Structure formats: structure tokens, C-alpha cells
Amino acid sequence: MASSSPHSSLLDIAPVVPVVVLQDASDAVPLARALVAGGLPAIEVTLRTPVALDAIRAIAGEVPDAVVGAGTVITPDQVTETVAAGARFLVSPGWTDVLLEAMRASGVPFLPGVSTTSEVVALLERGVTEMKFFPAEAAGGTAYLRSLAGPLPQARFCPTGGIGSANAPDYLALPNVGCVGGTWMLPADAIAARDWGRVEALAREAAGLKTLRAQV
């Protein structure tokens, strides 16, 4: 998120930000409650489905312990719509000056997406120090992020894309990574079966990565 934000950093809320793609808005509240109960309160609901705004609205209204945000935000109109629905943070897969200004004007924290050194430098030039690194594995993974830490130590990242329970600890061990985004605690069969207990258990395992990180 922008360094000028008055909010505490999303990167420090939990080690993992679940990236939620919902097909049915009625699943939003029980899913969010399971994630919060498992220790993952920061929840990114992506705008990849028609029910996303309804899902954000429902979580914002009915799950007070959740910090719900909007992902896959790529237009100023989406910034306006998601914040009006109750989004408390914004995440984009990439950024332009137009999108960046809309996110900055929204008043909520935001993570603009980057995948190259030049994009990181351009955001630092604009006063933004916290970013999404996407698509993390395809864009170079932990080796790439490690190489950025030397020349650009002021940049902090939430890597997303290709991250699961096996490689998340490798990312979280990096000095410039605050948290990771992922979907592994949201298996499609568990969502389809509405097995919220399984989601909560997987979320608790993911939240435990913070303890592992402290021991690295």
C-alpha cells in the first residue's frame, strides 16, 4: 500500500492473504468467517466473477473481523465501485498512472502490481513502497525478489501467483516480503461442498507460517 496511507500495512496483518474467486455470493460470509477463524483476516476478493461486488458488500457488512479488499482492480471505475461496496484495500495485477491516481485518491490502502525492476523504480519515484509482485513464480520467484532487495531495500512486496504451502515459506523468509497471496487454503472441492471447517483448518496452517518465519 501507499506509504502515505494512515492505515496499518496490509503486509503485516497476516503472513498470507487468501485470494478469493467466488461464483456464489451466498458463500462469501461463511467463507470469510472460516478464514478469519483460521487466522487470516485480510481477504482479497477478486473481480473475476459477476458476484464479486455483492461478496465484498456481504463480508464488509457481516464479518466485522475481516479486512476485506478487492483484487484484480484495473480501472478507476472499479476503484470507486469496490470502495463503495466496503473494500478496505485494493490490489491490482499491474498499474498505470491513471489507475494509480484513482487508487491513491480512494483513501484506502492499495497494492499496485509489478513484475519488473523498472516498474518498482517507477512506483518508488511516485512515493509507493508496498507492491504486489505478480505473477510471482512466472516473473522470477524468490531469486528475482532476493536480487531486488539489495538495490531497492525500501520496496516491500506481497508476491502472488504460483505460490502454495510448499514454497510460501521460501518467499516469507525474504527480507522484502511482508506476506504472500494464494488460493491453496481454498480448494475448489471444499468450496463446492461448502466444507468451511476444512477451509478454516487450511487457513490455520497458512497462518502458522508466521511462526515459521520468525524461526528462520
Side-chain angles (χ1 to χ4, degrees):
M1 262 94 47
S3 58
S4 59
S5 169
H7 301 256
S8 60
S9 172
L10 170 67
L11 300 186
D12 299 321
I13 293 176
V16 179
V17 177
V19 179
V20 177
V21 182
L22 284 171
Q23 307 297 333
D24 187 338
S26 67
D27 291 336
V29 168
L31 176 65
R33 286 177 176 154
L35 291 171
V36 170
L40 300 180
I43 302 169
E44 175 187 337
V45 177
T46 73
L47 300 184
R48 300 180 196 176
T49 65
V51 304
L53 285 176
D54 288 337
I56 291 170
R57 196 173 290 113
I59 295 171
E62 299 182 47
V63 191
D65 292 333
V67 181
V68 64
T72 325
V73 176
I74 57 173
T75 70
D77 283 348
Q78 289 175 332
V79 171
T80 302
E81 292 166 353
T82 54
V83 172
R88 292 170 60 184
F89 64 89
L90 305 169
V91 182
S92 67
W95 67 277
T96 66
D97 277 319
V98 170
L99 180 60
L100 186 67
E101 286 313 306
M103 291 194 295
R104 199 191 298 271
S106 71
V108 302
F110 56 91
L111 288 173
V114 296
S115 61
T116 69
T117 307
S118 293
E119 291 171 325
V120 176
V121 171
L123 283 176
L124 291 174
E125 189 177 76
R126 290 159 173 79
V128 178
T129 59
E130 299 186 351
M131 313 163 195
K132 172 179 178 171
F133 180 61
F134 176 83
E137 282 288 280
T142 54
Y144 194 96
L145 284 171
R146 189 178 295 111
S147 70
L148 291 181
L152 303 172
Q154 65 272 53
R156 296 180 74 216
F157 301 95
C158 174
T160 305
I163 298 177
S165 58
N167 61 354
D170 298 331
Y171 281 93
L172 289 168
L174 298 174
N176 54 352
V177 169
C179 63
V180 299
T183 61
W184 73 88
M185 73 300 298
L186 303 164
D189 56 340
I191 305 301
R194 294 180 166 83
D195 187 350
W196 309 126
R198 184 178 168 204
V199 170
E200 180 181 338
L202 290 169
R204 185 167 289 110
E205 289 178 11
L209 293 174
K210 179 180 286 186
T211 303
L212 291 175
R213 181 183 184 181
Q215 297 171 349
V216 172

